[in-house]
Amino acid sequence: MFIGFLLASYSIVANDAIQTLGTFLSSNSKRPWWVLWLFACSVLLAVFFYGWSVNGGDVAYGRLEKFPLPENFSWIYVVPPLVLLFLTNWGIPVSTTFLILTVFAPGNLTSMLTKSLFGYVLAFTTGILVYKFVTKALEKKFLNTPYKEPPIQWVALQWVSTAFLWSQWLIQDLANIFAYLPRNLDASMLFFSMFVMLLLHAVIFYRNGGAIQHIVTSKTNTQDIRSATIVDFIYGLILLFFKEWSKMPMSTTWVFIGLLAGREVAIAHNLQNREIKDAGKIIFSDALKAFVGLGVSIIIAFGLPVLEQMINK
């Protein structure tokens, strides 16, 4: 149980950091890593304490109601976060929700997949509409007026947007990590898990996101703090919508990839800064990686129990 929690705590945040902290890290790469770490961890602690106090010790905000804690933790529960760790080091974005939670309750895969597919389509459509019609002039201005030092108001806005997005992501995806611990934590377990998360976040920030950060840096102008702010606000609002819609976990990775895909198409069409086919190649590559991750998740979730039974026999 504890080995699974330790592996999940690092691998899930490291793989999903591109969604919530990727633009924040890329646009603040000149700042000391520990300053960014302190900021992100202050939001993390606030979400932890609020969820724990309001939900009777449940820091997953009720998203594990249909994922009961196993009576006996066997080796099959350690394999998913271990696989995720290798995929993350290879720079492959996968849905940690599918990979981790499906092994706890395979019957919920259809519901999680349906909600995630709807999330991708909604995010993709939103990205096209917003960047095609709403922020067209802004993005053109951002590309034509790069600043060595961004205006202070944009710095403040980006840090606010990051705090908002980071909190929404935590409420959604803490379930993937805390599936390994009792559903209602006592004070000692709370402080233990907090210490582990803070320490592992320090490693991720020190590495500046790791290999998977390329998913963000390969997109148009994401290093610009102004563009990053708009991406974070839109993504945070989409996650807020799904948080209120239902407590069924979903793939936030798919939502993020969908938003960036729609944004990339709209910017390429508006500004002609990149061929549509080149943008399509990037989008296809990201989507292919996500579907590879889904395939791996399904194989692991349904194959490991069968393999365990064969070994036991």
Side-chain angles (χ1 to χ4, degrees):
M1 181 177 74
F2 283 106
I3 291 174
F5 173 73
L6 291 173
L7 288 172
S9 297
Y10 178 79
S11 59
I12 288 174
V13 176
N15 195 280
D16 286 353
I18 59 163
Q19 309 170 22
T20 52
L21 302 172
T23 52
F24 180 66
L25 290 173
S26 63
S27 58
N28 288 277
S29 58
K30 295 182 179 180
R31 302 182 189 277
W33 68 268
W34 56 269
V35 173
L36 308 180
W37 172 74
L38 285 175
F39 171 73
C41 286
S42 64
V43 178
L44 173 69
L45 293 177
V47 172
F48 261 39
F49 276 116
Y50 181 79
W52 184 75
S53 59
V54 171
N55 300 310
D58 179 16
V59 296
Y61 288 79
R63 280 168 168 72
L64 291 174
E65 291 178 354
K66 297 183 179 181
F67 298 85
L69 190 72
E71 294 183 3
N72 296 301
F73 270 95
S74 63
W75 60 270
I76 67 171
Y77 294 97
V78 178
V79 173
L82 193 60
V83 171
L84 178 60
L85 189 62
F86 285 109
L87 293 176
T88 300
N89 287 332
W90 291 335
I92 299 177
V94 297
S95 170
T96 58
T97 301
F98 295 143
L99 191 57
I100 302 298
L101 292 185
T102 305
V103 74
F104 285 87
N108 291 329
L109 177 61
T110 302
S111 298
M112 292 190 295
L113 182 57
T114 302
K115 187 176 179 182
S116 300
L117 285 172
F118 178 62
Y120 181 92
V121 173
L122 178 63
F124 182 78
T125 305
T126 301
I128 290 180
L129 294 177
V130 170
Y131 285 93
K132 175 63 179 175
F133 300 106
V134 180
T135 65
K136 177 179 179 180
L138 277 176
E139 288 296 333
K140 185 175 181 180
K141 178 182 178 181
F142 295 161
L143 285 168
N144 293 333
T145 57
Y147 293 110
K148 293 182 179 179
E149 290 294 333
I152 187 64
Q153 62 268 27
W154 278 106
V155 175
L157 279 173
Q158 200 224 8
W159 287 55
V160 170
S161 69
T162 298
F164 168 62
L165 171 59
W166 183 224
S167 64
Q168 295 305 308
W169 180 87
L170 287 170
I171 293 173
Q172 287 277 359
D173 274 25
L174 279 178
N176 303 345
I177 299 173
F178 284 89
Y180 288 90
L181 296 183
R183 300 300 178 250
N184 299 100
L185 304 180
D186 57 24
S188 61
M189 288 294 289
L190 174 70
F191 285 105
F192 164 75
S193 59
M194 284 170 46
F195 173 77
V196 169
M197 293 285 284
L198 292 177
L199 181 62
L200 296 178
H201 273 69
V203 176
I204 294 169
F205 274 81
Y206 180 76
R207 297 181 61 200
N208 195 33
I212 206 164
Q213 180 69 2
H214 175 70
I215 297 294
V216 171
T217 56
S218 66
K219 303 302 185 295
T220 302
N221 209 32
T222 51
Q223 290 84 2
D224 190 307
I225 197 171
R226 299 165 296 176
S227 291
T229 299
I230 296 175
V231 171
D232 288 352
F233 267 125
I234 296 172
Y235 183 36
L237 289 172
I238 295 174
L239 290 186
L240 177 61
F241 167 77
F242 283 107
K243 177 178 73 71
E244 297 299 325
W245 183 24
S246 75
K247 291 185 178 181
M248 176 59 67
M250 65 179 295
S251 171
T252 53
T253 301
W254 284 27
V255 175
F256 181 68
I257 291 177
L259 176 60
L260 288 187
R263 175 183 183 270
E264 204 66 18
V265 169
I267 291 178
H269 185 267
N270 284 339
L271 306 181
Q272 302 296 316
N273 65 317
R274 176 181 283 170
E275 293 288 337
I276 293 292
K277 64 178 182 180
D278 293 334
K281 290 179 181 178
I282 296 176
I283 294 169
F284 178 77
S285 175
D286 291 346
L288 180 62
K289 292 176 181 178
F291 275 100
V292 168
L294 173 62
V296 172
S297 304
I298 294 174
I299 292 173
I300 288 177
F302 292 95
L304 285 179
V306 176
L307 180 61
E308 184 184 34
Q309 291 178 3
M310 293 173 60
I311 293 175
N312 290 339
K313 290 180 180 180

